[in-house]
Amino acid sequence: MCSSDLDLLAEELSSQSGMRERLAALRLLTWAGHEAHAKAIAPALDARESNVKIEAINALRRIVDDEEPIARLSAFAAIEEAGKWKKRIGG
């Protein structure tokens, strides 16, 4: 997947209404995205579905901080982490 494909994927992320599509896009960005995609990922931090929120957090950890994704993150912890990320990247 080339950089322009990833850019398009990041742009489409916010318009994806289906949870499966959003999860797939976030997982791809986790491993192939770059820091420029952080703003496109930010809206997913407000997702009602905790698994979408967790994928967004893990994508940001990977592409912004080069940290490994968190394997198990509770819904409550995800809310706290999402708040921290929104302050960092503006979301």
Side-chain angles (χ1 to χ4, degrees):
M1 188 170 270
C2 70
S3 182
S4 61
D5 291 337
L6 289 171
D7 293 341
L8 288 172
L9 180 65
E11 287 175 23
E12 290 294 318
L13 181 60
S14 61
S15 68
Q16 296 292 337
S17 59
M19 185 175 62
R20 285 184 186 182
E21 292 84 2
R22 292 178 80 193
L23 288 171
L26 287 165
R27 288 177 183 144
L28 280 170
L29 289 169
T30 297
W31 299 105
H34 50 82
E35 198 166 345
H37 297 130
K39 289 282 187 193
I41 293 169
L45 294 169
D46 291 322
R48 283 196 265 172
E49 305 91 349
S50 61
N51 50 348
V52 173
K53 189 182 304 268
I54 291 167
E55 288 297 334
I57 291 164
N58 280 331
L60 291 168
R61 284 175 54 85
R62 186 75 175 170
I63 67 174
V64 175
D65 292 340
D66 198 27
E67 301 258 338
E68 290 295 317
I70 300 170
R72 299 214 186 274
L73 189 63
S74 71
F76 181 74
I79 292 168
E80 289 183 358
E81 284 293 315
K84 291 175 188 175
W85 277 105
K86 286 194 282 187
K87 286 178 184 174
R88 267 187 80 183
I89 63 171

